[in-house]
């Protein structure tokens, strides 16, 4: 993906903020606890917080959370959904917090949008010594037969290279490193996977996949054709054709410590 395409994808979510808030899943608590277990203290930054999916999960554990989000529509939805949360405008490349002011920086389905040549030093700046950076991604468990079929039918715009467990491991192993060859700000990465799931219907799963960046930037006729293929597939499967079902997922975590 070239820079122009990257920017177009990363800026696509604001127009779908309400749908994102309604349909995107939360994060497995066990994954959040693992991400934070090496942090030296309770101060946590949710960076690229979107509509607050990870912020809400963090609110269920004993930490002090600040959310930072660059898109005004996403930030407004976060503030509406979580009025008690501290939520600030800002980005991974320009974090509106003082030096050494947090013990952990977490990013839920957001770290792949960061320019780590700029964001790496900025994240290291706000982290206390020994602080932790962790990216969390909710991925589809394509080891389940019907989920593998869904990924194939959906195409890469809806189920991309970080959206299944095996490909996630490859795609994120060096996510903490700047692509420019600049010095790394973090130690060797650890990766872990935690079972998760989301209650869906065929219609709500289609709506969930429609919030993926690749789908949001499609021309409308192409997007509707892709969604129609997904609807037809879900209608053909006994697991998904009638009523509610659990979508098999994992919350996958990349964790590194500040040098």
């Amino acid at each position: 993906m070239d820079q122009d395409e990257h920017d177009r994808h990363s800026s696509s979510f604001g127009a779908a903020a309400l749908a994102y808030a309604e349909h995107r899943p939360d994060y497995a608590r066990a994954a959040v606890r693992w991400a934070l277990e090496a942090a030296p203290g309770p101060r946590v930054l949710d960076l690229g917080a979107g509509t607050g999916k990870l912020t809400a999960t963090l609110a269920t554990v004993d930490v002090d959370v600040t959310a930072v989000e660059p898109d005004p529509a996403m930030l407004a939805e976060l503030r509406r959904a979580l009025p008690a949360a501290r939520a600030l405008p800002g980005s991974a490349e320009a974090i509106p917090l003082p030096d050494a002011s947090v013990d952990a920086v977490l990013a839920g389905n957001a770290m792949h949008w960061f320019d780590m040549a700029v964001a790496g030093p900025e994240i290291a700046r706000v982290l206390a010594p020994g602080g932790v950076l962790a990216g969390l991604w909710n991925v589809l468990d394509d080891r389940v037969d019907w989920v593998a079929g869904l990924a194939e039918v959906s195409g890469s715009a809806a189920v991309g290279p970080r959206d299944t467990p095996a490909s996630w491991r490859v795609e994120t192993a060096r996510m903490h490193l700047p692509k420019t060859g600049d010095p790394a700000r973090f130690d060797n990465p650890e990766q872990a996977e935690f079972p998760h799931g989301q209650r869906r219907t065929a219609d709500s799963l289609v709506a969930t996949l429609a919030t993926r960046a690749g789908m949001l930037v499609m021309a409308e006729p192409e997007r509707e054709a892709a969604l129609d293929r997904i609807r037809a597939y879900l209608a053909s499967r006994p697991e998904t054709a009638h009523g509610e079902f659990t979508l098999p997922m994992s919350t996958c975590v990349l964790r590194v410590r500040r040098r």
Side-chain angles (χ1 to χ4, degrees), residues 32-41 43-45 102-107 123-124 126-136 186 190 253-259:
V32 171
R33 291 191 185 98
W34 185 83
L36 293 173
E37 69 181 10
R43 301 169 301 171
V44 179
L45 168 60
V102 298
D103 301 297
V105 174
L106 270 59
I123 293 168
V126 301
L127 275 173
V132 167
L133 167 64
L136 294 86
F186 305 96
E190 302 170 90
V253 187
L254 171 74
R255 184 177 71 183
V256 291
R257 188 186 291 272
R258 179 188 182 276
R259 286 183 172 171

Side-chain angles (χ1 to χ4, degrees), residues 155-212:
S156 60
V159 182
R162 291 174 302 275
D163 294 332
T164 56
S167 59
W168 171 84
R169 286 188 174 273
V170 174
E171 288 288 323
T172 63
R174 298 173 62 83
M175 191 72 72
H176 61 295
L177 300 175
K179 295 182 173 64
T180 56
D182 292 349
R185 302 287 174 147
F186 305 96
D187 285 335
N188 293 331
E190 302 170 90
Q191 292 176 309
E193 178 184 339
F194 299 86
H196 198 30
Q198 184 185 25
R199 292 296 289 173
R200 297 282 80 185
T201 64
D203 287 344
S204 66
L205 180 50
V206 170
T208 302
L209 294 174
T211 67
R212 300 295 179 92

Side-chain angles (χ1 to χ4, degrees), residues 1 5-13 16 20 24 112-113 154-163 208-224 226-227 229-230:
M1 185 183 297
E5 188 177 4
H6 178 278
D7 292 345
R8 189 162 65 98
H9 280 68
S10 66
S11 63
S12 65
F13 296 109
Y20 194 105
R24 285 293 184 105
H112 50 278
W113 300 122
S154 299
S156 60
V159 182
R162 291 174 302 275
D163 294 332
T208 302
L209 294 174
T211 67
R212 300 295 179 92
M215 300 293 287
L216 292 172
V217 301
M218 274 185 176
E220 189 63 23
E222 184 183 359
R223 181 172 181 269
E224 283 306 314
L227 294 176
R229 288 195 303 272
I230 296 168

Side-chain angles (χ1 to χ4, degrees), residues 6 32 43 47 53 56-57 59 98 101 110 118-119 122 140 142 157-158 173 199 208 220 225 227 231 246-247 252:
H6 178 278
V32 171
R43 301 169 301 171
L47 187 57
K53 293 294 182 177
T57 306
S101 58
V118 182
E122 184 69 348
L140 303 182
D142 64 345
R199 292 296 289 173
T208 302
E220 189 63 23
L227 294 176
R231 289 187 188 99
T246 297
L247 174 64
C252 296

